[in-house]
């Protein structure tokens, strides 16, 4: 499909940034899956020596199936580059991630990396974050209390609306770490830094999907196969 063409183009270009011997973080989602496929092909064709740390069980399965060398973050230590997707990016390269339910491990891996490169398509290019619901990973323990504390935090923050939903409803999605995700439909987030801090102070909140000041390079793939790299 046209949208997939853009994702593939961005994913394919991102693999050009990989150098032999790199320790890489591999993102999660449909664009990142294209990247893993392209990376595996290049690694095989050029016999690259790579060490890969996946950001989800799904990415790990795909990477292993394609012959990439997979290890744990503890084994790899510091990573050279993480390539991942995003649900939204703003002019400062601040992101909303977590549409694929993997933002906790994604943020840990990105934080352990020298560089984070995001692969996207024009549909994710926004003037301000928040049209995409903000994923918030929460413990199952004390869920009702955590929900009400999130609502209390949102009441104090400059956002356009304040609707929160447990992902999966009465059949809640369980993340790789065994937690739930609450999606906050905020419409527009005018102060993402303040919101991120306020949310993570809540004891039952594990991590939010705001990636602020982490991404240095964005690769945007278009339907016609053209690619734009912004740094
Ligand atoms: O869950 C995630 O963070 C994914 O990277 C998501 O943000 C992008 O997924 P997509 O490439 O399938 O749009």
């Amino acid at each position: 499909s046209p949208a997939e063409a853009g994702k593939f183009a961005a994913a394919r270009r991102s693999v050009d940034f990989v150098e032999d011997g790199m320790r890489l973080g591999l993102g999660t989602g449909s664009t990142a899956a294209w990247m893993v496929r392209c990376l595996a092909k290049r690694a095989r064709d050029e016999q690259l020596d790579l060490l890969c740390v996946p950001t989800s069980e799904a990415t790990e399965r795909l990477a292993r199936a394609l012959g990439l060398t997979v290890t744990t973050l503890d084994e790899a230590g510091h990573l050279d580059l993480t390539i991942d997707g995003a649900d939204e990016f703003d002019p400062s390269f601040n992101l909303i991630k977590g549409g694929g339910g993997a933002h906790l491990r994604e943020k840990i891996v990105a934080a352990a990396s020298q560089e984070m490169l995001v692969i996207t398509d024009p549909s994710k290019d926004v003037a301000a974050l928040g049209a995409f619901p903000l994923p918030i990973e929460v413990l199952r323990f004390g869920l009702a209390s955590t929900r009400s504390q999130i609502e209390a935090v949102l009441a104090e923050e400059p956002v356009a609306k304040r609707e929160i939903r447990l992902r999966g409803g009465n059949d809640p999605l369980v993340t790789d770490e065994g937690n739930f995700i609450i999606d906050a439909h905020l419409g527009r987030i005018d102060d993402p830094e303040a919101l991120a801090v306020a949310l993570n102070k809540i004891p039952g909140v594990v991590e939010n999907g705001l990636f602020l000041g982490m991404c240095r390079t964005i690769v945007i793939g278009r339907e016609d196969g053209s690619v734009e790299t912004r740094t």
Side-chain angles (χ1 to χ4, degrees):
S1 75
E4 284 304 296
K7 293 183 177 187
F8 176 80
R12 176 60 197 82
R13 172 62 56 81
S14 73
V15 168
D16 295 341
F17 288 84
V18 173
E19 293 162 18
D20 193 14
M22 271 192 169
R23 293 158 187 249
L24 295 171
L26 301 183
T28 295
S30 61
T31 314
W34 282 122
M35 175 275 298
V36 171
R37 291 188 185 94
C38 295
L39 178 68
K41 177 175 182 339
R42 187 177 162 218
R44 202 169 42 248
D45 293 349
E46 300 178 27
Q47 274 120 45
L48 298 183
D49 170 25
L50 302 174
L51 208 45
C52 298
V53 175
T55 54
S56 64
E57 303 296 322
T59 294
E60 176 167 356
R61 281 192 295 275
L62 179 63
R64 286 191 189 284
L66 295 171
L68 287 167
T69 303
V70 168
T71 186
T72 63
L73 183 54
D74 286 346
E75 274 298 305
H78 189 70
L79 303 181
D80 300 298
L81 173 65
T82 281
I83 305 176
D84 202 346
D87 295 296
E88 279 186 344
F89 64 92
D90 76 4
S92 316
F93 292 8
N94 288 326
L95 317 171
I96 285 186
K97 285 178 58 52
H103 70 271
L104 174 57
R105 291 189 183 180
E106 289 172 334
K107 198 183 272 192
I108 293 168
V109 169
S113 305
Q114 185 65 31
E115 297 276 337
M116 180 186 193
L117 185 156
V118 164
I119 46 182
T120 62
D121 59 82
S123 70
K124 291 136 178 213
D125 189 353
V126 297
L129 298 176
F132 189 91
L134 175 63
I136 305 166
E137 184 150 344
V138 296
L139 293 179
R140 292 194 245 191
F141 177 86
L143 180 64
S145 165
T146 300
R147 271 189 77 113
S148 59
Q149 291 177 73
I150 289 172
E151 285 165 344
V153 160
L154 295 180
E156 302 296 315
E157 294 297 322
V159 291
K161 56 183 185 166
R162 297 174 175 84
E163 187 191 327
I164 69 172
R165 293 186 207 147
L166 182 64
R167 191 177 297 185
N170 52 26
D171 179 19
L173 175 132
V174 178
T175 68
D176 287 343
E177 290 296 322
N179 302 315
F180 285 163
I181 289 181
I182 284 176
D183 289 302
H185 297 247
L186 306 174
R188 181 192 171 95
I189 302 168
D190 286 335
D191 189 345
E193 285 77 13
L195 178 59
V197 168
L199 285 172
N200 278 10
K201 274 185 190 158
I202 299 168
V205 167
V206 180
E207 190 52 78
N208 67 79
L210 288 165
F211 284 53
L212 308 177
M214 297 183 79
C215 169
R216 295 272 288 277
T217 305
I218 294 208
V219 176
I220 304 162
R222 295 188 163 76
E223 289 181 0
D224 62 3
S226 66
V227 176
E228 179 193 352
T229 299
R230 292 184 194 164
T231 53

